[in-house]
Amino acid sequence: MALRLKRLGLVRVVETFGGPDSEVYPTDDGVLEARRLLDLRTDTVARFRHACDVLLAWVLRTGGRDSAVAALSYAEDPQCSFAGDLLTEDEALGALGYLSDNGLVLIHPTDNGAMVQITAAGTRCVLAGGSVNDHLTHQPNVGDTYNINNSQGFVVGSQQHVVQNNHIGLDASKLMEFAQMVRQFAPTLGAAGDQRDQIITDAEVLEEAATADQPEPGRIRAAYEQLQTTLTAIGTATPGLAMLVQAGQSAFEAVFGG
């Protein structure tokens, strides 16, 4: 851990003479990062948003698609934390209640507490790689939707809700290569465990969208934007991270134009 923090420029490591031990001191950047994390812990909105995301993933990871898990057993999973601070019982129950209200989990009261089980909608939300908020705010609008492949200049009467997908000549191979690059370098970006997992998941979603038999531009754009958002959310700037963000922008421009 000390060497990892040293590589990020957050600490300096001084080897002691006459023994295998080393002394670790925070750098100025390390002190600022520690203060940022401590301040972030007090942001109740950010904590709630994060709690919804990690607890939904935890339910799927722990119970799978079919099994219910004890709601308060979340405390046994180190990923159910925020900025290094374990989520409180009230935070966890509040987030699970919100997920239940929106149809992403089912909560079963028992004599010994509550059991929670993910729904099909919750599973889709986790596998899509975005946040719970993204999933809930990007639900399809009510109305007629038309998916029209290999057509140009098509107009549907007076319908108000029309989605026209043209797949002619779309080569998304550059974005596929970008997604593969992100998966390869994700462990070296200095992201926390849950952030690293999210980066890899987002990259897999983009790669899948870019390699589809009939690539959908809207789906590819959304997957790309989500991956770039996750990368920039790491917060600690490194040459490797800057290189990946720039590579993604170049790949996007190659596919969709400047």
Side-chain angles (χ1 to χ4, degrees), residues 54 75 88 115 172 209:
V54 297
T88 68
M115 303 293 289

Side-chain angles (χ1 to χ4, degrees), residues 68-69 71 92-101 104-110 113-119:
V69 295
L93 294 178
L96 290 173
Y98 179 77
L99 296 175
S100 176
D101 291 343
L104 300 180
V105 300
L106 297 174
I107 296 179
H108 310 286
T110 68
M115 303 293 289
V116 59
Q117 181 178 356
I118 200 165
T119 64

Side-chain angles (χ1 to χ4, degrees), residues 2-66:
L3 292 176
R4 181 179 179 183
L5 293 174
K6 177 183 177 182
R7 186 172 67 248
L8 296 173
L10 301 180
V11 302
R12 58 188 180 91
V13 179
V14 179
E15 296 183 0
T16 58
F17 295 102
D21 297 332
S22 300
E23 296 179 347
V24 181
Y25 300 92
T27 62
D28 290 343
D29 287 342
V31 172
L32 291 175
E33 177 63 12
R35 289 175 177 171
R36 184 188 71 83
L37 291 175
L38 289 174
D39 290 341
L40 186 61
R41 288 182 178 183
T42 64
D43 188 333
T44 55
V45 174
R47 289 183 72 99
F48 182 75
R49 182 188 301 114
H50 183 77
C52 291
D53 293 340
V54 297
L55 288 173
L56 184 61
W58 163 75
V59 175
L60 178 60
R61 183 171 61 251
T62 306
R65 295 177 58 192
D66 303 315

Side-chain angles (χ1 to χ4, degrees), residues 20 27 41 45 47 65 76 85 91 97 104 106 109 111-112 121 148 150 182 214 217 233:
T27 62
R41 288 182 178 183
V45 174
R47 289 183 72 99
R65 295 177 58 192
E76 301 171 4
D85 188 29
E91 285 178 316
L104 300 180
L106 297 174
D111 293 338
N112 298 321
I148 305 166
N150 300 323
V182 171
Q214 292 185 331

